[in-house]
Amino acid sequence: MAVLACIVVAQPAHAETEKADANWTASLSGGTATVEGRGDQPFFSVGLTRNFSDGYIRLTGTHIDTRDGQGLLGAVPAKTDQLSLAGGVSFGSFNLDGYVSLGRRKFGAEAFRRITGQTINIASNGKTSAVGASLTYDAPIGQHGFFSPFAALDYSRVDTARAINAPLRGLITQKEKQDGITFTLGSTAQLLFGADDAHSIGLYGAFVTSSNATAYNRGTSPVAASRLLGALDVPGAKDSWGEYGATASFRIAKPLRLDLSVIRTAGFSSAESTSGSVGLRVSF
């Protein structure tokens, strides 16, 4: 199983416009997604955002590494490079966000050893693509908090690969195209603190349902660690699950912020996963 992430920041959409005096924001993020019994899938991402008075446009590049395969019946390990273009606009307390992404997967040269001792290397390539949008409402809680419910709809497509023993041809990589539609309904709750409310901590919870648990994506999720593109590398099926987690953001210096987020699935049909990310943002 490969779990892929598109990482930028760990803040709700309204935070994109928190620095109206800064026209640009550069970000660097990294982390890992851990699937129970399947090992880690580390990732890193770089992004550049152009801020406007009521919105933003962002270009992000992400690299994801799937470290281990599962033999003849499971996934061939893959390295994925993805490019995403996102944007958003605020209408008072409402925030509308959207994105489109394209990527390439390079399936690893999986080595198999036959009974005779002969080693066979198998390699192939694939693609990913996704598009989606979300609507968020920011409701203030007192003077130092926000409650932000959101709804999101995404469509994603991903090429997966399995190593199979084909008649006459022997061991080969079989590439399969998977696609699915995913709906997410959730919320974040944030508490701002420190001088000028420079820092924040928050909680996240969501319900997710997908037409294909082999290919799901939430590119507009308000929490970085939950922006997952799933690839189980098995025939897809419908699934629904919950997610919960926490976020934090600290202003290290006036132009520099540290963002943290961690997410855990609940009720996923396959093994549960935990995803965490750490990111830096600098505004100029």
Side-chain angles (χ1 to χ4, degrees):
M1 176 179 178
V3 181
L4 312 180
C6 295
I7 307 299
V8 185
V9 296
Q11 296 297 301
H14 68 82
E16 296 290 351
T17 58
E18 65 176 327
K19 286 188 172 293
D21 58 337
N23 292 328
W24 297 91
T25 300
S27 62
L28 175 65
S29 304
T32 189
T34 301
V35 184
E36 290 180 350
R38 306 286 180 88
D40 297 339
Q41 279 105 58
F43 55 79
F44 67 86
S45 176
V46 294
L48 183 64
T49 303
R50 177 64 165 92
N51 303 301
F52 303 97
S53 59
D54 294 318
Y56 69 95
I57 296 176
R58 181 195 303 122
L59 183 65
T60 307
T62 305
H63 175 81
I64 312 100
D65 190 8
T66 304
R67 287 183 172 175
D68 56 352
Q70 301 168 37
L72 297 181
L73 299 179
V76 174
K79 297 180 184 295
T80 303
D81 294 303
Q82 206 164 33
L83 193 65
S84 300
L85 180 64
V89 62
S90 298
F91 303 94
S93 297
F94 287 93
N95 304 280
L96 180 63
D97 297 86
Y99 76 98
V100 60
S101 69
L102 296 172
R104 294 190 62 84
R105 304 187 76 193
K106 180 176 178 57
F107 300 107
E110 186 82 325
F112 297 93
R113 187 175 296 276
R114 290 182 168 177
I115 298 178
T116 61
Q118 180 186 8
T119 299
I120 300 176
N121 292 317
I122 301 174
S124 184
N125 296 309
K127 298 179 181 179
T128 70
S129 60
V131 61
S134 68
L135 182 65
T136 304
Y137 178 75
D138 292 325
I141 303 176
Q143 296 181 344
H144 303 281
F146 282 94
F147 176 70
S148 304
F150 69 92
L153 186 66
D154 300 87
Y155 169 80
S156 62
R157 176 193 171 282
V158 58
D159 289 336
T160 64
R162 289 183 294 156
I164 63 173
N165 199 348
L168 302 179
R169 300 176 62 188
L171 287 168
I172 63 172
T173 297
Q174 176 172 297
K175 187 165 63 176
E176 300 172 344
K177 297 179 180 180
Q178 304 283 345
D179 65 344
I181 297 174
T182 302
F183 175 73
T184 307
L185 186 64
S187 181
T188 60
Q190 280 195 310
L191 175 64
L192 310 179
F193 64 96
D196 301 321
D197 287 339
H199 315 301
S200 70
I201 56 174
L203 298 175
Y204 163 84
F207 168 77
V208 186
T209 183
S210 179
S211 65
N212 187 341
T214 297
Y216 62 87
N217 196 47
R218 277 87 48 71
T220 58
S221 174
V223 179
S226 68
R227 296 174 189 169
L228 303 178
L229 168 62
L232 299 181
D233 292 277
V234 295
K238 294 180 180 179
D239 194 15
S240 300
W241 65 94
E243 293 178 343
Y244 59 93
T247 68
S249 181
F250 303 97
R251 188 169 70 187
I252 301 174
K254 187 174 182 180
L256 183 65
R257 298 192 70 88
L258 171 68
D259 298 317
L260 308 169
S261 65
V262 60
I263 297 295
R264 173 77 173 173
T265 63
F268 198 69
S269 61
S270 183
E272 303 292 356
S273 68
T274 302
S275 302
S277 72
V278 179
L280 289 173
R281 284 183 289 155
V282 59
S283 299
F284 53 95

